[in-house]
Amino acid sequence: MRSRHAFPAPADVRHYLGAWSAVSVVQFFVAEAAVALAWAGESAYNYAMNVISDLGAAHCAIHYGRYVCSPLNWLMDGSFVLQGLGLIVAALLITTAVLRVAAHGPSVRAHARLAAAVSAAGTARVARDHPAVRRGGIVALAVRILFGVGGVGLIVVGLVQEDIVEWIHGGAALAYFASAALALIVLGAQWRRRTRAGWVLIVLGGIAAVATVALVVTHLQVPYPGALERAIVYPITLGIAIMGSVIASGARRTRAEIRRLATPQPSSGAS
């Protein structure tokens, strides 16, 4: 279902799907808590000491000096895969127009004026070369590629457990950490003048990026490896959920604006 009106893509149903596929990553927290409660190690699962991937380990055995035993590993691995699919769907469905206008209601009208201006400029090539159009396209492409890479990485994390092929699992996790953190920073920079959520995304992405660098430098050989990994994963997960919520909210505002403008206004003249 695509709007027949000259408004940007947040009014389209597919962008609701893209936004809410991003919001769906919050299911990770539910799965993590449930799997941690079912932990069958020698001691209770420790969020500071145990990394998240321990919950998805395929076997009960010693892994990097920790006894790992997660009877509900399939649930944690399934959560990783669902997160990855959500990111890929969001990357496929969220377009330049969505990222440009979703964060601020008045941007709907600004985008309409921009579209009219570049159309009046002449050819489609001229329109594409308009600085605002080109800048928005670059940002959108970068965010979509980064989220796509992160989504693929998460799917691999869920399918190849840490105790199956460790280097593949670790490499995929690192790809997710780095790409998703950078995507949040880029998107936050694009939105910072339109919504306070933009600054929130920059902060969350920055925390995750710094923690990712620390992870790479230390090879996770720190007193609390689980805490360090969660300093990456939790901000990214929250940031993606916020992004999806902002886009969905922008889509609702755009739909309301379309309906308002499409409704015939009563005449103010007196007979």
Side-chain angles (χ1 to χ4, degrees):
M1 291 179 59
R2 180 173 288 275
S3 171
R4 295 190 298 273
H5 299 274
F7 277 81
D12 298 343
V13 170
R14 70 186 188 124
H15 295 112
Y16 277 108
L17 297 176
W20 286 112
S21 64
V23 175
S24 71
V25 298
V26 297
Q27 54 83 24
F28 159 80
F29 292 112
V30 177
E32 182 190 35
V35 178
L37 287 174
W39 184 255
E42 295 173 337
S43 58
Y45 182 84
N46 189 312
Y47 280 75
M49 296 296 298
N50 290 98
V51 298
I52 300 171
S53 292
D54 287 349
L55 295 173
H59 306 104
C60 293
I62 299 294
H63 188 73
Y64 281 100
R66 304 183 302 271
Y67 181 70
V68 174
C69 190
S70 182
L72 292 183
N73 65 308
W74 57 270
L75 179 58
M76 194 72 254
D77 293 330
S79 174
F80 292 145
V81 172
L82 285 177
Q83 279 183 276
L85 290 174
L87 278 181
I88 291 174
V89 170
L92 291 174
L93 298 183
I94 296 173
T95 65
T96 306
V98 171
L99 296 185
R100 183 182 294 126
V101 307
H104 190 38
S107 293
V108 173
R109 293 182 290 278
H111 181 84
R113 290 195 297 272
L114 173 61
V118 296
S119 296
T123 65
R125 179 176 179 79
V126 172
R128 288 195 301 270
D129 289 340
H130 189 286
V133 173
R134 185 168 61 249
R135 183 170 59 252
I138 292 172
V139 170
L141 179 61
V143 170
R144 297 176 74 178
I145 290 175
L146 289 169
F147 277 142
V149 170
V152 172
L154 262 181
I155 291 174
V156 174
V157 166
L159 296 178
V160 182
Q161 295 85 353
E162 64 176 6
D163 56 343
I164 299 299
V165 186
E166 194 278 334
W167 68 270
I168 293 180
H169 180 92
L174 184 59
Y176 166 60
F177 297 160
S179 60
L182 184 56
L184 292 180
I185 294 172
V186 171
L187 183 57
Q190 173 78 350
W191 280 356
R192 71 188 188 284
R193 295 181 180 177
R194 299 176 179 174
T195 171
R196 283 173 291 185
W199 291 107
V200 174
L201 294 185
I202 291 175
V203 171
L204 291 174
I207 292 172
V210 170
T212 298
V213 172
L215 180 149
V216 172
V217 170
T218 63
H219 298 283
L220 211 56
Q221 301 303 307
V222 294
Y224 301 104
L228 176 58
E229 188 183 51
R230 285 175 170 83
I232 305 172
V233 175
Y234 286 6
I236 288 175
T237 304
L238 290 173
I240 293 171
I242 290 170
M243 177 201 75
S245 298
V246 169
I247 292 175
S249 177
R252 288 193 296 271
R253 286 196 303 267
T254 304
R255 177 66 70 189
E257 182 75 357
I258 290 173
R259 289 174 177 169
R260 185 184 69 80
L261 296 178
T263 302
Q265 300 298 314
S267 175
S268 58
S271 54

